[in-house]
Amino acid sequence: MPFLPNLADFAAHRYGTRPFLLSWAPSGWNELSFVDFAAAVRRFSARLVAEGVSPGDRVGIQSENRPEWGIAYLGILAAGAVVVPLDAQLLAQEVAEILATADAWGCVTSAKLAPIANEARETRRPGLRVLSLEEACAPDVALGTPTPSLNEAAPPSAGASPDDLAVVIFTSGTTGQAKGVMLSHANLLHNVEGVVDTIEVRSDDRLLSVLPLHHTFESTVGFLTPLRVGASIAYARSLKSSE
């Protein structure tokens, strides 16, 4: 698997209709299988391409922890673009600074946080495309182009390399302005394999996702690693929730 999006198709082939992502609703837990997750990633990628994203474009994600976050994360990468994960608690001024520094093409955001991205567009990043996470991940979204099948999975772009930039993590450390840390597909995939070799995570395990997904630790250990080994993930409604 030379590229991060390959994980979705690998898992779909190996783990099939077993549950991967679980989210809480008033009616109970909703499950998304590995096959359906891979299909959602491909739909999201096709949506971005239809919207005009090009290989190498930076695309932010600002959202609460939820299944759609992972769909957007790998969908951006499958389109050949670069993910810029954003803390859901950042203010509009901070988001605007990061997106401007990253020279972002757009930002995928949940409905709750959309006003932050819209304000960032108005104040610092004119022309920023703001995409609804809920709409872009809807299973019946009209793309205008067919969704590729699993057997048609391809690298993010022609001539792409595992050493290509995949994610830019902005961190300020303890003081100062946020700085971008650049990670390649190979960087993160090697980290995933390192976790698999070090910690016994099995396909019948279920993880509770609590830490924010924009953190590299959570996105690697709490999302990419379960996808690699066939484990499932349940998203906590809050730190105070008992379900």
Side-chain angles (χ1 to χ4, degrees):
M1 292 177 288
F3 302 98
L4 285 162
N6 296 148
L7 279 174
D9 291 322
F10 167 84
H13 280 296
R14 176 163 290 193
Y15 309 116
T17 58
R18 294 174 55 185
F20 173 42
L21 302 178
L22 295 88
S23 58
W24 177 260
S27 58
W29 286 96
N30 292 325
E31 297 182 353
L32 185 69
S33 71
F34 287 95
V35 166
D36 289 340
F37 173 77
V41 168
R42 293 193 301 278
R43 285 196 301 270
F44 194 94
S45 174
R47 169 67 182 272
L48 287 176
V49 172
E51 292 281 351
V53 73
S54 299
D57 284 344
R58 274 66 163 168
V59 182
I61 305 178
Q62 188 178 34
S63 169
E64 312 81 11
N65 278 20
R66 54 193 297 177
E68 292 87 351
W69 193 99
I71 293 170
Y73 181 94
L74 290 184
I76 291 169
L77 293 171
V82 177
V83 180
V84 182
L86 298 164
D87 188 340
Q89 297 185 356
L90 289 179
L91 302 176
Q93 180 179 355
E94 297 168 310
V95 170
E97 181 65 30
I98 289 174
L99 294 177
T101 301
D103 193 23
W105 170 91
C107 185
V108 181
T109 178
S110 65
K112 179 180 178 181
L113 299 176
I116 295 176
N118 287 327
E119 184 175 337
R121 175 176 57 192
E122 294 171 3
T123 58
R124 287 292 309 277
R125 191 67 182 159
L128 181 79
R129 301 294 296 272
V130 178
L131 282 72
S132 164
L133 190 67
E134 291 84 358
E135 291 180 8
C137 291
D140 58 348
V141 64
L143 300 173
T145 55
T147 301
S149 69
L150 288 175
N151 293 329
E152 294 171 339
S157 61
S161 163
D163 293 323
D164 287 345
L165 182 62
V167 181
V168 179
I169 306 292
F170 277 85
T171 175
S172 60
T174 54
T175 61
Q177 184 175 324
K179 303 171 183 64
V181 177
M182 299 183 292
L183 301 173
S184 69
H185 291 266
N187 289 151
L188 290 165
L189 285 168
H190 279 297
N191 283 347
V192 169
E193 294 304 318
V195 173
V196 172
D197 290 342
T198 305
I199 303 174
E200 185 180 359
V201 184
R202 304 178 306 186
S203 60
D204 58 350
D205 285 334
R206 176 160 296 168
L207 287 74
L208 179 66
S209 181
V210 177
L211 295 176
L213 277 164
H214 77 277
H215 279 296
T216 309
F217 180 90
E218 181 65 11
S219 61
T220 303
V221 180
F223 169 59
L224 295 175
T225 297
L227 182 61
R228 166 68 175 80
V229 301
S232 59
I233 307 166
Y235 290 102
R237 289 183 289 166
S238 73
L239 291 175
K240 298 180 180 179
S241 173
S242 60
E243 297 178 302

